[in-house]
Amino acid sequence: QPFLAVLSFYHVHTPLLTTNQLKDKYETKKQQLNLTNIDEFADIEQHWPVNRPRRNRIVQNHTTYAGMVEATDTAVGTVLAALEKLGLDENTVVIFTSDNGGLSTSEGSPTSNLPLRGGKGWIYEGGIREPFIVHAPGITKPGSTNHTPVSGIDILPTVLELAHAPKPTGKPIDGVSLLPALRSHPLNREALFWHYPHYANQGGPPAGAIRMGDWKLVEFYETGDLALYNLKDDISEQNDLAAQHPDRVKQMRTRLHNWYKQVDAKFLQPKNGNTPWKPE
């Protein structure tokens, strides 16, 4: 019979724990790769709190974290092996993804997302770009990659189409089916949006973002400041092009603000009685 299984791994996450065997394995590898006596961190821009430095890991040499990644990989293999043993591997779709980028700026800063900027708790690519792996027998080509931007909101319409199931009526569906992308065709979507309306303990400020093609606009809710990046040319989001492209900034900001209103996005409520920031 048709089935749906959702398996939410606790790894990879804090607290940072692994087995002695895995830790020893990666301690040895760390030594072999000469990743011991090197600079592991670089200071990054601070948003809050401003009274202490914010460090960003720039070297992938955290042995406990490596063990946690391997444990997750092993667990995924257990699931895939079970599907094969049950004879279900050729008619079962498997989707593997995460809810945020790696933790690089707090709580031990165990991983590096370079060349991406920031990490978990940030609206930069290091915080919102994650692995998204799909195994769909007869549709996906093993080992192939696709650089089309997608989102977790796309899982529902994708699964519905794969299962030949009707969409629910009377309810909005935010995402789009990824079947065209899985078949190496373009997706019919104008933009993707992100809304992060609070202070992250990883240092990221309240912000939103919109991506249209290779262009990404970031809006900071504290000040209303805007930053524009071309991700094709600047995956590290180091070159703010807002001043050079005012018309594009205006177009994307209008589109982002319309989306805020469409989804009834919530914003910060100042405790000092000031008027809260809201989209125009």
Side-chain angles (χ1 to χ4, degrees):
Q1 298 298 316
F3 71 94
L4 169 68
V6 179
L7 178 54
S8 300
F9 293 105
Y10 191 82
H11 275 7
V12 177
H13 201 276
T14 55
L16 303 171
L17 299 168
T18 191
T19 65
N20 291 333
Q21 181 181 6
L22 286 174
K23 185 173 178 60
D24 291 343
K25 172 183 176 179
Y26 287 103
E27 285 287 356
T28 300
K29 187 172 183 179
K30 181 177 178 178
Q31 298 288 338
Q32 293 171 342
L33 295 175
N34 295 318
L35 294 177
T36 302
N37 297 316
I38 57 176
D39 292 332
E40 299 177 319
F41 299 95
D43 290 337
I44 61 172
E45 76 277 18
Q46 298 180 63
H47 286 273
W48 84 280
V50 295
N51 60 347
R52 65 180 174 87
R54 181 68 60 174
R55 299 195 308 169
N56 183 45
R57 179 174 286 273
I58 57 175
V59 178
Q60 198 71 280
N61 66 345
H62 195 291
T63 54
T64 297
Y65 192 87
M68 296 170 74
V69 172
E70 179 171 332
T72 302
D73 187 57
T74 300
V76 171
T78 300
V79 174
L80 298 179
L83 290 173
E84 183 176 1
K85 181 178 180 180
L86 295 170
L88 299 172
D89 54 312
E90 291 304 318
N91 65 344
T92 299
V93 175
V94 179
I95 301 174
F96 177 88
T97 189
S98 177
D99 60 344
N100 50 250
L103 180 63
S104 63
T105 60
S106 70
E107 299 160 280
S109 304
T111 191
S112 172
N113 298 303
L114 293 181
L116 305 181
R117 183 176 178 179
K120 177 182 179 180
W122 297 76
I123 207 71
Y124 298 124
E125 291 298 286
I128 64 175
R129 185 180 289 231
E130 304 91 28
F132 199 107
I133 304 171
V134 180
H135 166 73
I139 298 174
T140 53
K141 180 181 178 182
S144 61
T145 59
N146 191 313
H147 297 287
T148 302
V150 301
S151 175
I153 58 175
D154 300 325
I155 293 177
L156 174 60
T158 301
V159 170
L160 290 176
E161 185 169 1
L162 284 168
H164 306 290
K167 293 183 179 180
T169 58
K171 297 181 182 294
I173 294 181
D174 296 318
V176 299
S177 172
L178 298 180
L179 251 64
L182 297 180
R183 293 177 171 137
S184 300
H185 300 308
L187 281 183
N188 182 23
R189 172 158 50 199
E190 177 189 0
L192 277 171
F193 306 91
W194 292 265
H195 180 53
Y196 201 77
H198 63 90
Y199 294 90
N201 63 311
Q202 296 86 13
I210 175 174
R211 176 167 178 174
M212 300 177 69
D214 294 325
W215 294 92
K216 177 182 173 184
L217 183 76
V218 178
E219 179 168 47
F220 298 99
Y221 299 151
E222 295 171 311
T223 61
D225 290 344
L226 299 162
L228 179 69
Y229 304 102
N230 186 299
L231 297 180
K232 181 179 180 181
D233 301 330
D234 179 27
I235 191 62
S236 300
E237 296 172 285
Q238 295 299 308
N239 303 309
D240 180 4
L241 303 176
Q244 291 97 305
H245 298 275
D247 290 342
R248 184 179 296 277
V249 169
K250 181 179 179 181
Q251 174 200 11
M252 294 180 71
R253 181 176 182 267
T254 298
R255 185 71 183 86
L256 178 59
H257 282 218
N258 288 339
W259 177 80
Y260 290 150
K261 298 171 185 176
Q262 176 186 339
V263 299
D264 192 25
K266 305 302 181 185
F267 294 89
L268 293 168
Q269 301 296 314
K271 295 181 179 179
N272 57 11
N274 291 341
T275 302
W277 186 94
K278 63 180 180 179
E280 296 179 0

